[in-house]
Amino acid sequence: MQKRLLVLGAGTAGTMIANKLRRRLDVGTWDITIVDRDDVHPYQPGYLFLPFGTYSPKQVTRSRHRFLPDHVDFVIGEVDVIDPAASKVTLVGGRELPYDYLVIASGTSPRPDQTPGMLGAEWRRSIFDFFTLDGSMALAEALRHFDHGRLVVHIADMPIKCPVAPLEFTFLADAWLRKQGLRDRVELVYVTPLPGAFTKPIASERLGSMLDDRKIVVEADFLVEHIDPETKTLVSYDEREIPFDLLVTIPINMGADFVARSGLGDELNYVAVDKHTLLSKVWPNIFAVGDASDIPASKAGSVAHFAVDIFVDNFLEHVAGKPMTGSFDGHANCFIESGDGKGLLIDFNYDTEPLPGSYPVPYIGPMKLLKETRANHLGKLAFRWIYWNILLPGRRMPVPTLMSMAGKTVPTTTSSTPSPTD
């Protein structure tokens, strides 16, 4: 009897899984179906560059079906609910999709509706986001008319998609304002719920000093309670107030609503899984991969990439009735644009925070960890081509799946104990 694998979400993780497993699962034995609400695959790291004119919208979007292999059924539809007891998914409109194994790869999304006042009269007038295509393009237009005042970059709460992106936007805004001759007329403020610039201490110290060098004010431990659109003010739970002329906010991120409707999610709609195998803690035929899961790692494309590499072999063992031998370590690898044609790179996992060193070849590089270099910036720009042509088609990347300590240096004055999760 034909077995059925159903994948919910044709983003980074879902597309890679469809490609890799189609090559490994016999077409005569396995049907693979993948579901998404539309046929537009965004290169989400590119949204960061749209407000500054580095990329155009055409450079950061492709058709999803272009990246799916033959013998994978692509269904465009919106998931209504999962019935895990009956092993079936129901789409809005009533179509039912039964499965033998289910992979939830529906990602995470910004939810401005979760903060009172964010979606008020100033939304897309003086309050913007850049984690969506529409938001990023609207912000580009706003920046073209912004020549003085207070520009506030704000994170509502963690975890968020790509935790370094708000820092990148801040560094790029500083460089862009200097290039426009406007920096002296604009006060830049970075508002974060964290005690510092980043979640891990060594990187936080390094990135915090870069904000200081650029005369960017940091407002730490700020957990927003609401936004007053009339006075254009962020108000925290401890009653601090931060006025703005232009607010670039990263709203609370949440998993898909159908996860909550199906009784599979936590308070933020993320699926509880074993952090090493990505298998549901409740259902033995459901996995969650990428941002949709509750693993204590960054919600970033690199995590999805490394996790999929582990998942595929584990899945094949699991469906064969064997113990899963792969163990995902939470590996994350992120470029951080810092403006003026430079960038940093960080490499870390569940247990080891970002450290100085070289990557991917120990002691050689050419990338330098936690150091601003031109090579890191070029690596960030080159990754867009790699994403479309190597990563999504599921081809092998010449980097280790699990994090390696080779080439890394542990500072003797700072503990490498990781802070709470991203």
Side-chain angles (χ1 to χ4, degrees), residues 317-340:
E317 292 172 335
H318 188 63
V319 300
K322 301 176 182 177
M324 292 183 282
T325 57
S327 179
F328 182 53
D329 65 349
H331 190 189
N333 184 283
C334 305
F335 289 104
I336 305 174
E337 277 293 294
S338 58
D340 302 313

Side-chain angles (χ1 to χ4, degrees), residues 48-65:
L48 171 72
F49 294 103
L50 293 176
F52 306 106
T54 307
Y55 291 154
S56 68
K58 287 184 178 179
Q59 291 175 294
V60 298
T61 55
R62 298 281 191 278
S63 291
R64 295 189 194 277
H65 72 261

Side-chain angles (χ1 to χ4, degrees), residues 238-295:
D238 58 4
E239 300 183 347
R240 281 181 285 165
E241 296 186 352
I242 298 177
F244 60 84
D245 296 298
L246 180 64
L247 176 64
V248 179
T249 187
I250 291 82
I252 288 172
N253 279 212
M254 295 179 68
D257 285 341
F258 72 77
V259 172
R261 287 196 295 271
S262 308
L264 294 172
D266 61 13
E267 69 279 5
L268 291 175
N269 301 350
Y270 298 128
V271 182
V273 297
D274 180 287
K275 70 177 186 178
H276 296 298
T277 66
L278 312 178
L279 180 65
S280 165
K281 292 182 176 178
V282 179
W283 300 96
N285 61 342
I286 297 179
F287 290 83
V289 185
D291 295 350
S293 79
D294 72 340
I295 64 171

Side-chain angles (χ1 to χ4, degrees), residues 71-99:
H71 305 295
V72 167
D73 185 18
F74 179 35
V75 174
I76 297 179
E78 191 162 345
V79 177
D80 182 12
V81 68
I82 301 167
D83 183 345
S87 293
K88 70 176 182 181
V89 170
T90 302
L91 305 183
V92 172
R95 181 178 176 182
E96 294 184 348
L97 299 172
Y99 60 83

Side-chain angles (χ1 to χ4, degrees), residues 138-355:
L139 178 56
E141 182 65 20
L143 280 178
R144 275 193 279 276
H145 301 285
F146 185 71
D147 60 5
H148 70 282
R150 198 169 216 235
L151 196 168
V152 174
V153 181
H154 162 248
I155 303 168
D157 203 353
M158 305 297 277
I160 60 170
K161 194 182 309 190
C162 191
V164 297
L167 284 165
E168 293 183 280
F169 181 87
T170 307
F171 293 140
L172 290 174
D174 169 74
W176 184 83
L177 289 166
R178 279 190 277 107
K179 188 176 180 180
Q180 306 302 313
L182 299 172
R183 185 63 181 91
D184 291 341
R185 304 177 61 186
V186 176
E187 181 183 10
L188 260 173
V189 183
Y190 187 76
V191 181
T192 173
L194 300 172
F198 192 57
T199 55
K200 315 290 184 182
I202 295 176
S204 184
E205 181 178 349
R206 171 68 180 124
L207 295 166
S209 70
M210 290 172 59
L211 292 170
D212 289 343
D213 293 343
R214 290 161 171 78
K215 302 187 186 311
I216 297 167
V217 176
V218 177
E219 188 76 26
D221 295 314
F222 188 97
L223 198 57
V224 66
E225 193 274 330
H226 74 277
I227 296 175
D228 186 335
E230 292 189 4
T231 62
K232 295 184 180 180
T233 304
L234 288 166
V235 182
S236 69
Y237 281 97
D238 58 4
E239 300 183 347
R240 281 181 285 165
E241 296 186 352
I242 298 177
F244 60 84
D245 296 298
L246 180 64
L247 176 64
V248 179
T249 187
I250 291 82
I252 288 172
N253 279 212
M254 295 179 68
D257 285 341
F258 72 77
V259 172
R261 287 196 295 271
S262 308
L264 294 172
D266 61 13
E267 69 279 5
L268 291 175
N269 301 350
Y270 298 128
V271 182
V273 297
D274 180 287
K275 70 177 186 178
H276 296 298
T277 66
L278 312 178
L279 180 65
S280 165
K281 292 182 176 178
V282 179
W283 300 96
N285 61 342
I286 297 179
F287 290 83
V289 185
D291 295 350
S293 79
D294 72 340
I295 64 171
S298 290
K299 294 195 176 300
S302 65
V303 175
H305 159 218
F306 295 129
V308 167
D309 283 349
I310 299 294
F311 160 79
V312 168
D313 288 335
N314 274 348
F315 181 81
L316 295 173
E317 292 172 335
H318 188 63
V319 300
K322 301 176 182 177
M324 292 183 282
T325 57
S327 179
F328 182 53
D329 65 349
H331 190 189
N333 184 283
C334 305
F335 289 104
I336 305 174
E337 277 293 294
S338 58
D340 302 313
K342 294 183 179 179
L344 299 84
L345 180 65
I346 54 176
D347 189 63
F348 58 109
N349 67 9
Y350 290 140
D351 303 314
T352 303
E353 65 175 303
L355 297 169

